[in-house]
Each structure stands twice: as structure tokens, then as C-alpha cells.
Amino acid sequence: MKIYGVPLSVHTRKVILAARIKEIPHEVEVVIPVIPDNPPPNWREISPTGLIPAINDDGFVLADSTAILLYMERKRPQPALLPSNDRDYGTALFLDSWAGSTMFRGVILPIFQNQVVNPNIRKVACDNAAVEAALTKAAPEAFGYLESLKPEDFLAGGMLSIADLAVVSNLILFHYLGHRLDAARFPKLQTYFRRHVGSAALQSALKDETPFAQ
């Protein structure tokens, strides 16, 4: 399976982690859409939205991280990344969607765009007001919601799921960007995050993506 994207990406990391956990043989082809002329010439055929990640699995092309993960779940059911219980299954899918919308678009994306993409790639000034709004309003609201879930080991069904991959992947990029969870304000979330970052699967993935983070 070929995974198109960059390991630093919140959504690409989710797919790479799922492939690692399920032991699906794969290789990562680096595609960074925000860099002009970086994507391959047929990129829109691979990813109709132009976004990462996308995969090519023996000729079968699919884009969108959640769609890819659900495809992987059918391709290799064990170890499962979706709970078998109906309600836990629904919760896991909701939290995955929430992480991709409220958390990523409200918190991570404006910080990343203004700290990294705009000054370094687009050569335009950082919108400090957008960063400030993300850090002082959107982030506390998102982290407060997660804290209210009283996370311990996992977010849904007492097992590692798509919800954990999505939430933790966002938090990793938040930290790469130089920001930190307020342990006094969000102690349960902080403990949950550290537990996952210390896991064998994530440690291995983080080691491989170190050059991109640097």
C-alpha cells in the first residue's frame, strides 16, 4: 500500500499509525500540497480534493483519512480500531469527526498556517490575531471538552480506536508547533496524551517522522 502525504500531517499520521498497528505493508510517498509543484502531476486523480492523505492499494485509489481507515478495517479486521459495541462505535466515529473539524480546523490549522505555511512557504505575514484566537479561545474550548470526557487509557469502548488516533495526532502537531497543554487546567487530558505518546507504536512512528518535524 502506498500512502501519499507527509508524516507531519495530522490526517496522514492517523493513516500511517493505523497501517503500522494493523501491520499492513506500506510505504509513504511524500506529498506536501501547500508546496507548489510538489504533488505528482496526476494528484487530482489520486486525491480529488487535493488534500492528503490518499492511498494506492494495488491499483485501488482512495482519499480521506477516515475513509482510508475504514477501508483498512475491512481489509484487515484485527487488531480492530473500531469498537464492536454499537454505541462505542458511534462515539469513536463522532470523536474522529470532531477531531478533524472542531479540533483541527479551529485550533491546529490556523496556528500551523500562520506559524509555518504563511511565513515560510507563501512568504506572507503571520496573522497574529488568528493564532491568538486559536490559542486563547478555540484551544481551551476543545481541550476542555476532551477533559470533560475524563479520558484515561482510551476515548471509546475501552480500546485503542480511530478516536484516539485522531485526537492524539492533533495534539502531537500542537506540541511540534511549540505549544503545550496546561497540565493544571487539563490534567486528565495531559496524562492521557503522555500515555499515548509513550506507547511503542507511537514512539516508533515519531522516530520516523523526526526529520519532518525538525
Side-chain angles (χ1 to χ4, degrees), residues 173-194:
L173 189 49
F174 184 74
H175 280 68
Y176 277 163
L177 292 167
H179 307 290
R180 297 292 180 265
L181 288 169
D182 184 339
R185 191 172 180 183
F186 311 113
K188 292 182 173 59
L189 181 59
Q190 170 80 337
T191 300
Y192 162 86
F193 176 61
R194 289 190 177 279

Side-chain angles (χ1 to χ4, degrees), residues 18-24 69 71-84 159-160:
R20 284 173 172 269
I21 291 164
K22 289 181 173 292
E23 297 184 349
I24 297 174
L69 198 143
Y71 167 74
M72 288 180 175
E73 192 79 351
R74 296 292 292 268
K75 178 183 177 72
R76 187 161 298 186
Q78 297 299 326
L81 287 172
L82 281 159
S84 58
M159 57 174 282
L160 181 68

Side-chain angles (χ1 to χ4, degrees), residues 29-69:
E29 180 169 324
V30 176
V31 174
I32 309 174
V34 295
I35 298 179
D37 301 323
N38 174 268
N42 63 334
W43 179 235
R44 286 291 180 157
E45 297 174 17
I46 299 169
S47 174
T49 63
L51 302 176
I52 53 175
I55 62 166
N56 185 327
D57 187 23
D58 195 25
F60 174 65
V61 174
L62 184 64
D64 181 80
S65 63
T66 299
I68 293 167
L69 198 143

Side-chain angles (χ1 to χ4, degrees), residues 14 66 91-103 162-163 166:
K14 185 172 77 172
T66 299
T91 297
L93 287 178
F94 166 74
L95 288 171
D96 170 63
S97 176
W98 175 87
S101 55
T102 300
M103 194 173 185
I162 188 174

